[in-house]
Amino acid sequence: MSAGVLFDAPGPRARVRNAILTAVSVVVLVAAVYFVYARFDAKGQWEGELWKPFLEGSTWTEYIIPGLLGTLKAAGISAVCALIFGAVFGLARLSDHRWVRGVAGAVVETFRAIPLLLLIFFLFFLAPSVFGSGDYTLIALVTGLTLYNGSVLAEIVRAGVRAVPIGQAEAAQAIGLRKSQMMRLVLLPQAVTAMMPAIVSQLVVLLKDTALGYIIAYVDLLNMGFKIIPAVYFGSLIPAAIVIGVIYVGLNMSLSALATWLEKRTRRSTRTAATPIAPPGFVGEPDSTGAGGVGAVA
Amino acid sequence: MDDLIKYAPDLLAGFLENVKLSLICAVLALVLGTILVSMRVAPTPVLRAAGSMYVNVVRNTPLTLVLAFSSLGLSDTMGLSFSETPRTNSFWLVVFGLSAYTATFVCEALRAGINTVPLGQAEAARAIGLTFFQSLRMIILPQAFRTVVAPLGSVIIAMIKNTTVAIAGGYLMESAFVMRDTFDDTGVSIPIFIGLVIAFMVVTLPVGFLTNRLASRLAVAR
């Protein structure tokens, strides 16, 4: 039912009420859009002159695409390192040895609690005093992103392995598998399927957080759009911001769509006995499908 | 260690700015998030579309971009101004950006909460003749809020950590900026970094603890 359950199939009076509500909201929204448009117009932001650079190939090849590559480079390296970090520490937290569990737990909890920007600043200033002078923007950004997102991924790995029903581990033990065999042959293959959606959601967070590089002057998409392009083409800050905003939103939305698709696939998959785990910070739906709830709306 | 003691007053003043930002943004984000979620379940398709478009766009934009745009775009280029004093103006610009950003996460959390309210509750509300707003206000939202207290706690904790990004919005008073400034003067100082990290934990850990306790106390028995 597309109409939702919060409201009935409308009768005559409700239809009038809904029509009024629709009309009022259309008026308010149009007024808001017009207000923004008029303010932009008053400041001359729709002048063709300001937007012209974005129709020229050279703006894209010289600024926007190199910026995008900078963002993707930082995101790619951090993603690989964070996945390795997450796998190592996530499995360490499941270790049978108490001291391994304790150390891994302390590391993961600490890096999860540190505001990411403070961590990046700290690494940015720490690197020159350890390795001598040089350009450490990429290293500081990647290390910060790795430590933070790796810790979150470690929690996802732990939750994923735990989401595999206990019977699987018991069956593995019953047929005489060793601990490492059980993990490698039985638990991990099922856990990976269950945690894929959560991992992809976390990678969206990682991609968004690469924009923090702007603050330490790493040359990424945001830096190109907010510092370099407005400096080259004077006054085109707003057009540049809109263009790079669209690129960021497009990238993240396609990754998010991938996560949603993976989750749907995992739910009907027969390859794993585990249900997909919720991404961190995401609200679990206790009844797992949520399909019966009030929010079936829209 | 000497550095930490020497700069402690500056760092503390900076950290209090983070606390101030957190308090104001938390209230605004919760209010705006509730309005957004009401739009997303409203009987009017226009409102539903507007709500989900706002949430999907803002949620997928980096916070750094939102804050930099508030400062460089809205304020410097468009002339949006909250105050004559530059410092107060950038404070409110950061509040504006951070609340607008966090509200989308509040909205998503609440929407998941609304999903957990059983169908029968909404049907019963309609059966006794409540209108959409009445059933939302008296039946659905109170139950939804109670189920998502813990996730809302995580959203607020993430927001408290995000107050450090205020620097991108041109607000150069809070602790991340003070820390960078200090490092510029004296070089890197591990005690200062650890001190600030502990200060943040002193705020975030109790929020997590309290919301978890509230969550189990308020849980709706079903």
Side-chain angles (χ1 to χ4, degrees):
Chain A
M1 184 170 66
S2 64
V5 290
L6 274 174
F7 36 86
D8 245 319
R13 273 170 63 194
R15 265 204 296 273
V16 171
R17 216 168 38 221
N18 284 351
I20 294 173
L21 188 59
T22 306
V24 170
S25 41
V26 166
V27 168
V28 170
L29 288 170
V30 168
V33 170
Y34 179 75
F35 175 74
V36 172
Y37 172 83
R39 282 296 292 265
F40 275 58
D41 199 38
K43 295 280 175 183
Q45 293 298 328
W46 303 125
E47 300 280 330
E49 200 57 29
L50 295 183
W51 290 82
K52 222 177 93 198
F54 298 96
L55 295 176
E56 284 163 12
S58 63
T59 313
W60 290 82
T61 51
E62 276 169 45
Y63 303 108
I64 297 180
I65 291 173
L68 182 61
L69 288 180
T71 292
L72 292 179
K73 186 165 95 181
I77 302 174
S78 318
V80 172
C81 297
L83 283 169
I84 296 169
F85 183 100
V88 170
F89 280 84
L91 293 180
R93 285 200 83 174
L94 292 163
S95 163
D96 285 343
H97 307 286
R98 188 192 284 174
W99 66 272
V100 177
R101 272 203 315 266
V103 170
V107 169
V108 166
E109 291 300 337
T110 311
F111 284 117
R112 245 159 43 111
I114 299 179
L116 183 51
L117 186 63
L118 284 188
L119 185 60
I120 291 174
F121 273 163
F122 176 66
L123 294 165
F124 183 59
F125 281 89
L126 184 69
S129 60
V130 177
F131 306 112
S133 59
D135 178 16
Y136 292 107
T137 48
L138 178 65
I139 293 174
L141 181 62
V142 165
T143 315
L145 286 171
T146 300
L147 292 175
Y148 174 73
N149 291 289
S151 300
V152 179
L153 287 171
E155 288 296 280
I156 295 178
V157 170
R158 189 168 73 129
V161 174
R162 287 211 171 149
V164 180
I166 186 81
Q168 298 285 328
E170 288 169 351
Q173 282 163 346
I175 58 170
L177 294 187
R178 300 167 57 92
K179 227 164 50 181
S180 58
Q181 287 176 314
M182 175 176 85
M183 191 57 90
R184 187 163 49 86
L185 300 173
V186 179
L187 296 184
L188 273 185
Q190 302 190 56
V192 167
T193 318
M195 58 201 183
M196 258 339 258
I199 289 178
V200 178
S201 303
Q202 190 58 35
L203 293 182
V204 174
V205 175
L206 188 150
L207 181 60
K208 270 168 52 178
D209 281 347
T210 56
L212 288 171
Y214 166 79
I215 302 176
I216 54 167
Y218 173 67
V219 182
D220 65 349
L221 188 58
L222 191 58
N223 219 315
M224 282 291 181
F226 275 70
K227 295 231 177 91
I228 297 169
I229 294 179
V232 179
Y233 303 103
F234 182 73
S236 57
L237 183 111
I238 300 265
I242 292 175
V243 169
I244 62 164
V246 168
I247 298 177
Y248 269 115
V249 172
L251 270 179
N252 290 325
M253 272 189 170
S254 15
L255 259 182
S256 301
L258 176 68
T260 314
W261 178 77
L262 278 171
E263 184 176 347
K264 279 201 185 121
R265 206 182 63 153
T266 310
R267 274 197 203 289
R268 32 166 229 270
S269 160
T270 48
R271 280 203 215 154
T272 176
T275 48
I277 56 163
F282 185 83
V283 190
E285 293 166 10
D287 61 348
S288 89
T289 59
V294 170
V297 172
Chain B
M1 202 61 204
D2 295 343
D3 285 341
L4 178 61
I5 295 164
K6 187 174 155 204
Y7 288 101
D10 294 350
L11 291 164
L12 185 67
F15 183 69
L16 287 179
E17 293 298 319
N18 290 85
V19 174
K20 214 162 82 184
L21 277 173
S22 308
L23 286 175
I24 300 175
C25 290
V27 174
L28 289 177
L30 285 173
V31 172
L32 189 55
T34 313
I35 296 174
L36 279 173
V37 83
S38 314
M39 284 170 73
R40 292 199 69 173
V41 296
T44 315
V46 183
L47 283 179
R48 285 208 297 271
S52 47
M53 199 177 119
Y54 175 85
V55 169
N56 282 326
V57 168
V58 176
R59 202 173 48 136
N60 282 304
T61 314
L63 175 63
T64 321
L65 194 157
V66 174
L67 292 182
F69 185 72
S70 308
S71 154
L72 300 174
L74 293 182
S75 184
D76 292 359
T77 314
M78 302 299 303
L80 172 73
S81 172
F82 289 99
S83 158
E84 292 295 312
T85 331
R87 189 202 291 173
T88 323
N89 186 32
S90 53
F91 178 85
W92 288 105
L93 281 170
V94 169
V95 167
F96 172 80
L98 189 55
S99 320
Y101 177 81
T102 311
T104 62
F105 294 90
V106 171
C107 170
E108 287 303 274
L110 279 175
R111 203 162 67 99
I114 288 182
N115 270 326
T116 66
V117 178
L119 209 56
Q121 297 284 328
E123 287 169 345
R126 273 160 43 196
I128 58 170
L130 297 186
T131 64
F132 165 73
F133 283 110
Q134 286 173 324
S135 69
L136 192 66
R137 185 167 55 87
M138 299 190 283
I139 311 291
I140 310 297
L141 276 184
Q143 298 187 55
F145 259 108
R146 290 167 69 143
T147 40
V148 295
V149 171
L152 281 180
S154 318
V155 171
I156 298 298
I157 289 174
M159 192 207 68
I160 294 174
K161 294 195 287 172
N162 278 339
T163 55
T164 50
V165 188
I167 201 170
Y171 187 58
L172 307 180
M173 300 291 292
E174 53 73 57
S175 54
F177 178 79
V178 177
M179 185 179 94
R180 190 174 75 170
D181 217 28
T182 319
F183 286 177
D184 268 335
D185 285 353
T186 64
V188 69
S189 153
I190 296 175
I192 287 184
F193 174 65
I194 293 178
L196 265 184
V197 167
I198 291 175
F200 271 95
M201 283 184 179
V202 165
V203 176
T204 53
L205 291 181
V207 171
F209 178 74
L210 272 178
T211 48
N212 278 333
R213 263 196 55 179
L214 258 183
S216 50
R217 267 187 58 183
L218 292 177
V220 185
R222 290 202 183 102

